Amino acid sequence: MIIRSVAVLGAGTMGAQIAAHFANAGVPALLLDLTAEVAIQGLDRARQLRPDPFFTPDTGKLITTGSFDADLARIRESDWIIEAIVERLDIKRGLLEKVDAARRAGAIVSSNTSGIPIAALAEGRSDDFRQHWLGTHFFNPPRYLHLLEVIPTPETKQDVVDTVGHFADHRLGKGVVIAKDSPAFIGNHIGLYGMMRILTKVAGGDYTIDEVDAVTGPPLGRPKSATFRTLDLAGLDILGHVANNLRERLGSASGAGVWTLPPFFVRMLERGLTGEKAGQGFYKRVKQPDGESQILTLDPATLEYRAKQPARIGSLDATASMPDARERVRTLFHAPDKAGRLLRETLAPTLVYTAGVTPAIANSPDDVDRVMRWGFGWELGPFELIDAIGVQQVVDAARETSPELLEGGIPPLLEEALRDGRNAVRGGDVPPAAPDLQILRTARERAAVAKKNAGASLVDLGDGVLCVEFHSKMNIVGVDTIQMLQTGVREASRSFAALVVGNDAPNFSAGANLMLVLLEAREENWEEIDLMIRAFQQTTMALRYADAPVVVAPAGLTLGGGCEIALHGDRVQAAADTFMGLVEVGVGLIPAAGGTKEMVARAAEGMPPGTSDYLPPIQRAFETVAFAKVSSSAPDAQRLGYLRPVDAFTMNRERLLADAKARALQRVSEGYHPPPARTAIPVGGDAVLAPLKLGIHLAWRAGRISDYDALVGRKLATVMAGGALPHPTTVTEQELLDLEREAFLSLVGERKTLERIQHTLKTGKPLRN
């Protein structure tokens, strides 16, 4: 059973984005709705969404549109048909009846419903339909949220489940969890229960919206959107629908009162305060007279908006510097202030409830933790939270704040742990979902760390492959990182077959250590800065010319120095969601660890044979660097020239290191040899420099760039032209490295560059001065 094409029925918010993500995976998608015009409009809306559901602007070309009436017969060509229309059982059944008649035998059919019983949707359908039918619940936005809940029925063939799971994992990059056909499945059931507990406390006036979001976001290891911003993004009407559905389906057996929406929430729905799509929900953004935006917070008692009120809770300040989420959560849970009370009154009952319902909704506690990690962005799943706090402590808090939960006794999963003398259910992180996932973590756990310093480690991945793993804050590249990269190249050349540079963190590297540069520049330690740049250049060149193949595996932010490291690998195996860019001009510098050199060399290598016009390829590379362009994906990084045609990408982030390792071993089997030194890189000299400087001048005259932007641009242009040369010629790599280092050193001494660096370090944003 092979999936080569897909049909998505319904071009709403989810349907259009699901089609987009199949297109990202290179799978042609047919997107149908009531009319062809509605389908086109849905696809157009998807193109306007941010973050972008498409890898590149051209990805959408793999999607064709049509209508149910005129084009439903075309689904006969599709290997997988996904229903994603309005959440109404009768309407879905009506469409699925037509699908049953139009599909070919053996085609997979699934529903993206967030809670309607999967078996009920297929009632009355043919035997072949029911055998190839299942639920596939994507989370919004489908490109960025890792989770896919797969819900088979008793009649679903196992090979259908296996095919969908394998395809979703390898081609769509999903973390697949097999869920039981229970109300709201796993994620929405648990997530909504926790939210309902919080809504009850807010309705009673115990906590403000600002206080709840201050506690239930990053301090708890959860996204910045916390509780109420998340609800605004999801849509309050959606939450209301799911809560009502759960109340009807679960009834008194699970305490129907928990699923009853508080009166203030009902009034919000009546007034149309449904969140982001309505422009107002729990939060509202308003324009100030000076043009700046201000975010207001809802007062649940009056449904009026007021200025945000920072939460003044001592334990939040006390735990802010704790890097370990478990320690932070445990400390907050026991705090005597509002944060502790909120967690004991809402988190404790949610964890006990989760332990109680897990056997009915999931196949294991591990799957529950994966769902909440992958679908809701939790750093710790429910059972990891129980273990962090302690089983007994969670049970005691729930007994005090929500005694009704324990009227039938302690949930068996918790009771068994206590009976065995354990204060934890699992006693560690949720394990990888498969042996070939998270291989770096597995290697660390088997004590395969060969060397380690504060910035990076050498880890033996097995089969003769060594890995350099970064682990500084945001994986900033500093002296420790550079030393470990150099050590990794030496060790790999001496004792291993290949080297991989990668890590399991959300971001490969946010760049070089700007704080160190700023401090040295303030002290006017120019020789020290020169040595730092030379060491970084020597390191990237060592990666390029290593005796063993080097495969760099970037993911997430891969900026500045992190991008330069990736540019010098023999091959790059990038995560699909890699946001790569040479962004140094934003702080008044230019790439000087080989990044500018590499973009010049690649531009020259990409010139058509026999051409003497150096300008077009160099101008493209210049604009990429001068405008600090950052890729929106790995395919987009190829478009920008940061990745080459020989580089590849991995859809599933948890498979990235395994794919990089396999790519490294492939290079070994191909008989890898270091590339020859570049001793004659064509450069344009003044034939390139003059038009680049003219473009900079015109941009300055038009007011698009500042005086200082123009200065930085001229420095960059000089390097990319190969220097101030009277005519086209050739230069060596070392000559380009010297040029970029000299330009860097001249800029780092400028007051405006130091102002830019300081501003960026303080605010995370560039300064135009």
Side-chain angles (χ1 to χ4, degrees), residues 618-635:
I618 286 292
Q619 184 162 356
R620 285 193 296 271
F622 172 80
E623 290 175 355
T624 297
V625 180
F627 293 125
K629 293 182 180 179
V630 176
S631 69
S632 61
S633 64

Side-chain angles (χ1 to χ4, degrees), residues 603 607 611-623 682-695 717 720-721 728:
M607 290 173 59
T611 185
S612 58
D613 188 359
Y614 294 86
L615 183 60
I618 286 292
Q619 184 162 356
R620 285 193 296 271
F622 172 80
E623 290 175 355
V683 292
D686 194 54
V688 164
L689 184 57
L692 289 182
K693 284 186 174 180
L694 176 61
M720 299 195 82

Side-chain angles (χ1 to χ4, degrees), residues 34 68 87 106 110 239 280 438 498 520 562 568 640 696:
L34 290 171
F68 294 148
E87 286 286 281
S110 70
L239 178 140
Q280 51 189 349
Q438 299 180 6
E520 296 289 358
H568 287 82
L640 292 173
I696 293 167

Side-chain angles (χ1 to χ4, degrees), residues 59-107:
T59 302
K61 293 178 180 179
L62 280 174
I63 302 174
T64 55
T65 55
S67 70
F68 294 148
D69 288 340
D71 300 291
L72 194 63
R74 293 167 63 188
I75 68 172
R76 188 170 183 81
E77 305 164 10
S78 300
D79 300 312
W80 183 0
I81 303 155
I82 301 174
E83 172 276 309
I85 62 171
V86 64
E87 286 286 281
R88 278 185 50 184
L89 177 62
D90 56 338
I91 297 177
K92 287 180 183 288
R93 276 180 172 171
L95 178 60
L96 292 174
E97 182 178 3
K98 296 176 181 178
V99 169
D100 197 359
R103 65 183 275 276
R104 71 170 186 272

